[in-house]
Amino acid sequence: MSSSVLYCPRDGSTLVSPDNNSKSVFSRNGVFHCPTCSGLALNSSIASSEICIKKLEMIHDGFKDEGVPVDICCPFCSSDMKVRDFAFRKLDGTLTELIEIDGCPDCSSVWLDAGELHRLSPPSGNTSQSPSSEAGALAIVLDLLLHLPLVFI
């Protein structure tokens, strides 16, 4: 895993490393999370899951020539990121709701705002959930999405 300190591209908080999380979904997918906004940062070179690595590399390909520049920097390499809409194909053949993913065109990193994954997950009913618990729940949603086919929009 990464030994350097990474910062949230949205609020500047120090990101929590997958090494400092007890849930295997974080280490398997190389997920760093923001303790303030519950956003998730991923990079294919940190993930240990082959499925995650391949999906992140596929997402990265979608940012090389496409995407709209966005005013945030990659938490892994500090390059300017781009934003782009993606969907995932569900088992019944329909598409998930579109989500905006911020991606780095220089390295295979993505940033997912908590609100994007919230739109794809069922409501928890727990409105007083801590950001760390929320990030854990969203990482599980992400883990499920990584197993579905990706659709570039």
Side-chain angles (χ1 to χ4, degrees):
M1 301 287 167
S2 175
S3 61
S4 61
V5 175
L6 301 177
Y7 298 98
C8 175
R10 295 289 182 203
D11 64 29
S13 298
T14 301
L15 296 177
V16 177
S17 166
D19 293 334
N20 295 330
N21 195 298
S22 61
K23 293 184 178 8
S24 64
V25 68
F26 284 88
S27 60
R28 183 173 57 250
N29 296 319
V31 177
F32 288 75
H33 76 276
C34 178
T36 307
C37 73
S38 301
L40 306 177
L42 295 90
N43 182 289
S44 70
S45 67
I46 297 170
S48 62
S49 159
E50 263 318 295
I51 292 170
C52 182
I53 292 167
K54 287 179 181 176
K55 190 68 61 143
L56 288 173
E57 288 171 354
M58 185 184 302
I59 291 171
H60 175 249
D61 288 343
F63 284 104
K64 288 179 181 174
D65 298 318
E66 300 286 330
V68 176
V70 65
D71 193 25
I72 62 171
C73 293
C74 175
F76 295 94
C77 73
S78 300
S79 294
D80 291 334
M81 296 184 86
K82 294 180 179 179
V83 66
R84 175 159 195 199
D85 288 336
F86 290 88
F88 293 86
R89 188 165 308 282
K90 296 187 264 183
L91 297 177
D92 66 3
T94 62
L95 295 179
T96 62
E97 198 173 318
L98 291 179
I99 60 170
E100 279 188 355
I101 297 177
D102 299 303
C104 180
D106 295 330
C107 72
S108 56
S109 299
V110 297
W111 173 259
L112 292 153
D113 292 317
E116 295 300 322
L117 291 174
H118 274 293
R119 293 185 7 224
L120 300 178
S121 64
S124 70
N126 185 357
T127 57
S128 62
Q129 195 173 28
S130 75
S132 289
S133 295
E134 180 181 18
L138 294 175
I140 292 169
V141 171
L142 174 66
D143 193 46
L144 293 171
L145 287 175
L146 292 172
H147 290 79
L148 297 175
L150 179 70
V151 178
F152 294 98
I153 304 296

